[in-house]
Amino acid sequence: MKHLVAELVANALATLPELAEAAGDLAIDSTMERTRDPSHGDFASNIAMRLAKPARRSPRDIAASIVEALADSPSVDKVEIAGPGFINFYLSPAAFHAEIESTLAQEDAYGRQPTKEGPKILLEFVSANPTGPLHVGHGRGAAFGDTVGNLLEAAGYPVHREYYVNDAGRQMDILGSSVWLRWLGDQGLEVDFPKGGYRGDYIRDIARDIDMSGLSVPDAAAVNDGLPANGDDNKDEYVDALTARAKSLHGEHGFDRVRQQALESIRDEIKEDLAEFGVRFDTWYSEKSLTTNNLIDAAIDVLKERGVLYEKDGATWFPSTDYGDDKDRVVIRDNGVKTYFASDIAYHYDKRERGYDLLIDVLGADHHGYVARVRAGLEAMGYAGEDLEVEFIQFVTLYRGGQQMQMSTRSGEFDTLRQLRAEVGNDAARFYYVMRSNDQHLDFDLDIATSQSNDNPVYYIQYAHARVASVFRQLGEKSLAWDQANGLANLGLLVEPQEKALMTMLSRYPEIVELAANNRAPQTLVHYLRDLANDFHTYYNAHAFIVDDEALRDARLFLISATRIVVANGLGILGVSAPDKM
RNA sequence: GCGCCUGUAGCUCAGUCGGAUAGAGCACCAGAUUCCUAAUCUGGGGGUCGCAGGUUCGAAUCCUGCCGGGCGCGCCA
């Protein structure tokens, strides 16, 4: 609808050479906005003010020229110049009728744009280390990433969703050792559990279920003799020594079996968790595969060929300060081991090499320090740093009874995504996670999320959907039928203020989807749906839909059908269900 | 010290590329149901948009400085 009005202005401008020149490549769409105050019409353009300086004419004078050049349109009733030079457009009822007609015609597809050629987007999110279950913080990244993916797809962008599995490096050794030690414990061996190990109960569960056939149980002395102290100041040393011990007792291959089973067990739990949460991925990209496919070496070779790497203190460095980073970064350590940074730039290089134009990473806010160096890596390898866009997710704090809940693993209070979903349900969890801007800290109030009352915005929106369904059930019980064509023909009967407000709100939906997608801002859609539900509930309370007058009844049912579709489509993007009954 | 995020009603937060009189929910107060689900609706009070400058037709929004809160600054992953 916005494009429709913008096009009128664009066409008018085309007939005014000097103004068109002043406008240059200004997007007319960007001058057009919904009015906040109905007395200003439906849309307002500030183009006259924007052109005042380049055209060296007064805004109101420019506005007058444009209005004069506007072609007549059945969609526009009236155009006015107001204030400092706003051009206000009053749309005709026919324009709104056409919009809801198209809502019913397109149903699920309403608000979705046809798939564009590009840019091809690779959306990476969650990517939690497979060393433990997803916690409530990861849940926010999952809900946000999935919703942004849905929004981008609805806006027509080809999106590929990827989870980067950190299945390589020392943390996998520590995971393996932790499981191994719990297994030894189950076999009756006493070993001092490392302070730097993974202590959660899930490690014990994995140890209990693990297939260790063919591996012999060592005796306690063979495990414990000659280990360093298990103190706070050398916990790394102690864990590493245990890993080495496991490898020497069971062989590389034997330890790898433990490590691999632990990894797969946790990774499968994560996959299951996300699937149940309605979060889907197209690929699970293994960090280890970077090594097996020689992609890290390949990336380092590219940097070497470009002559950007240098040697210092026995290590190989990448001069990321040349690209705006705080300090240079090590790529290969003095012991020959490649750093995580090397994997990271290889991974992002590979994303671009796979043909994705725009890389969106959804990261926890504590990772913001990595962006500069990864961008630097991309630039050094010949891609633009702006190809990488990062959306940071701020922390989540749970509240119950007005009290902040402790969320450390050790405290034993609940902190996993699974527990949260069990308590508040998927719908409320997904809704609350994206209700606030991602760069705002989130206070997640469990009391409100679980309350079945007017406090709860999830139910408020779902209730609008259920009410429409209920109206149609009532219609059936009264042995009445809805004549859709008759409704369409009689939309002109919808003249109540609540009906006009609802139609105006409905017509905004496609613009909201596009705006939320472009800004990676799910909360924009959340707030819109809340406002839409409000307009619907107001209408519901003010007027009966199932009235004796058939023409009016069919028209009203047409309008609330459109409402149901928009609510369902919007909730669908949020990953929240749209129930017919509550 | 440097970097990223943040500061808007009592509380939790929206606020589009700068736009017209700064919005919503909760909380508080007063009302609405012979009628399609009251998980609803209507009305009301409540603001130095952290502070100070600057940019301009116009600033919560952009720039600079200061103050407060969160996070990060490893040859860990």
Side-chain angles (χ1 to χ4, degrees):
Chain A
M1 198 169 231
K2 178 176 169 180
H3 302 301
L4 189 149
V5 187
E7 205 173 312
L8 289 175
V9 174
N11 290 341
L13 208 57
T15 68
L16 304 164
E18 66 275 23
L19 286 181
E21 193 188 335
D25 56 0
L26 177 70
I28 308 300
D29 257 29
S30 75
T31 73
M32 193 67 67
E33 52 188 25
R34 291 275 176 170
T35 57
R36 197 161 26 201
D37 182 344
S39 72
H40 296 145
D42 297 298
F43 285 91
S45 174
N46 62 11
I47 189 167
M49 278 98 86
R50 301 269 284 269
L51 296 185
K53 194 169 263 182
R56 288 194 222 165
R57 288 169 59 187
S58 84
R60 288 196 70 105
D61 186 34
I62 294 171
S65 296
I66 293 174
V67 169
E68 180 134 351
L70 281 172
D72 281 341
S73 162
S75 299
V76 178
D77 270 354
K78 188 170 65 164
V79 181
E80 281 179 354
I81 299 167
F86 289 106
I87 305 173
N88 292 340
F89 294 83
Y90 296 73
L91 299 199
S92 65
F96 291 104
H97 299 165
E99 193 68 25
I100 59 174
E101 179 182 4
S102 126
T103 308
L104 264 73
Q106 296 180 49
E107 276 235 72
D108 294 359
Y110 180 70
R112 304 187 71 85
Q113 295 179 37
T115 305
K116 301 174 171 70
E117 283 299 307
K120 289 176 67 184
I121 298 174
L122 187 116
L123 178 65
E124 184 207 330
F125 61 112
V126 189
S127 298
N129 288 342
T131 53
L134 295 176
H135 58 67
V136 293
H138 297 129
R140 190 179 188 191
F144 176 83
D146 192 57
T147 304
V148 166
N150 291 343
L151 281 167
L152 289 169
E153 280 167 358
Y157 297 103
V159 179
H160 185 89
R161 297 145 190 255
E162 189 158 278
Y163 188 118
Y164 182 54
V165 184
N166 293 107
D167 55 0
R170 186 166 159 269
Q171 62 179 358
M172 283 297 107
D173 282 344
I174 297 175
L175 175 67
S177 304
S178 300
V179 171
W180 179 62
L181 290 170
R182 293 305 186 201
W183 174 74
L184 288 177
D186 289 346
Q187 311 307 312
L189 268 70
E190 282 306 315
V191 185
D192 196 9
F193 199 84
K195 290 191 165 61
Y198 296 109
R199 314 184 72 93
D201 288 342
Y202 62 95
I203 296 290
R204 296 176 191 272
D205 295 341
I206 295 168
R208 201 177 50 239
D209 296 337
I210 199 168
D211 174 12
M212 295 292 273
S213 56
L215 298 185
S216 54
V217 181
D219 60 54
V223 174
N224 286 314
D225 283 359
L227 289 178
N230 182 17
D232 277 325
D233 48 344
N234 67 336
K235 49 187 179 188
D236 288 353
E237 203 184 319
Y238 181 70
V239 177
D240 291 346
L242 277 171
T243 303
R245 189 59 54 91
K247 288 178 180 175
S248 76
L249 288 169
H250 300 292
E252 279 289 346
H253 187 69
F255 182 71
D256 188 52
R257 270 187 55 196
V258 179
R259 193 171 46 191
Q260 191 62 25
Q261 287 183 67
L263 163 67
E264 285 171 11
S265 167
I266 291 172
R267 195 188 54 203
D268 290 350
E269 287 283 303
I270 290 174
K271 282 189 180 182
E272 192 184 317
D273 233 5
L274 291 170
E276 284 175 3
F277 199 31
V279 174
R280 69 187 163 80
F281 287 92
D282 298 305
T283 47
W284 294 73
Y285 194 103
S286 157
E287 181 190 355
K288 209 156 56 180
S289 75
L290 289 171
T291 305
T292 52
N293 295 332
N294 285 319
L295 292 179
I296 300 178
D297 290 337
I300 290 174
D301 285 346
V302 170
L303 292 171
K304 277 184 179 157
E305 278 163 25
R306 289 172 170 259
V308 292
L309 299 181
Y310 67 92
E311 307 285 325
K312 193 182 90 181
D313 303 332
T316 304
W317 293 72
F318 173 69
S320 47
T321 41
D322 293 352
Y323 304 87
D325 196 8
D326 292 348
K327 53 187 80 168
D328 289 353
R329 308 289 170 179
V330 171
V331 178
I332 308 174
R333 289 193 268 162
D334 57 5
N335 63 7
V337 175
K338 285 142 204 149
T339 61
Y340 182 78
F341 172 58
S343 306
D344 237 13
I345 53 177
Y347 175 47
H348 284 85
Y349 181 64
D350 179 61
K351 286 180 179 178
R352 281 301 269 114
E353 290 286 296
R354 280 188 277 158
Y356 296 103
D357 309 306
L358 175 61
L359 316 178
I360 303 181
D361 286 8
V362 177
L363 299 176
D366 52 337
H367 286 69
H368 69 253
Y370 304 99
V371 178
R373 70 188 78 160
V374 176
R375 285 214 177 102
L378 279 173
E379 281 178 36
M381 291 187 285
Y383 288 112
E386 300 86 64
D387 293 348
L388 173 63
E389 172 188 322
V390 182
E391 298 299 332
F392 291 110
I393 304 293
Q394 295 291 339
F395 292 156
V396 178
T397 313
L398 294 178
Y399 282 83
R400 191 200 296 284
Q403 295 293 309
Q404 182 175 341
M405 293 176 67
Q406 290 302 314
M407 288 201 294
S408 82
T409 317
R410 284 188 183 177
S411 72
E413 279 219 66
F414 94 65
D415 65 340
T416 66
L417 174 59
R418 189 163 291 193
Q419 288 165 313
L420 177 74
R421 290 196 296 111
E423 173 148 344
V424 310
N426 279 347
D427 284 345
R430 289 207 52 153
F431 189 92
Y432 272 78
Y433 272 139
V434 299
M435 192 166 65
R436 305 296 181 214
S437 161
N438 58 292
D439 49 26
Q440 192 78 240
H441 287 247
L442 177 65
D443 292 332
F444 198 123
D445 190 321
L446 293 166
D447 299 323
I448 291 177
T450 50
S451 75
Q452 298 199 355
S453 73
N454 55 355
D455 300 359
N456 198 323
V458 195
Y459 296 135
Y460 184 86
I461 296 166
Q462 290 179 319
Y463 187 43
H465 188 270
R467 269 185 151 174
V468 176
S470 172
V471 169
F472 278 91
R473 279 196 300 273
Q474 282 289 325
L475 192 70
E477 282 168 26
K478 292 180 179 171
S479 300
L480 294 171
W482 173 41
D483 184 338
Q484 186 173 330
N486 191 44
L488 178 59
N490 285 291
L491 290 179
L493 298 174
L494 303 180
V495 294
E496 299 291 345
Q498 294 87 352
E499 290 166 337
K500 295 198 156 182
L502 186 54
M503 278 190 273
T504 300
M505 185 62 81
L506 286 170
S507 72
R508 292 182 62 193
Y509 178 68
E511 293 154 33
I512 292 291
V513 170
E514 188 176 357
L515 179 68
N518 288 339
N519 292 345
R520 327 302 187 218
Q523 80 277 6
T524 300
L525 178 57
V526 169
H527 287 278
Y528 167 78
L529 289 173
R530 209 257 153 219
D531 290 343
L532 173 61
N534 185 17
D535 281 353
F536 172 77
H537 288 310
T538 298
Y539 181 33
Y540 183 99
N541 275 275
H543 301 283
F545 307 144
I546 304 178
V547 291
D548 292 337
D549 179 344
E550 272 182 47
L552 182 61
R553 183 175 72 221
D554 287 340
R556 285 185 171 169
L557 292 175
F558 199 99
L559 175 56
I560 67 170
S561 290
T563 306
R564 190 198 61 73
I565 290 168
V566 170
V567 170
N569 291 359
L571 288 176
I573 286 174
L574 298 178
V576 175
S577 68
D580 286 337
K581 226 174 205 173
M582 289 175 72

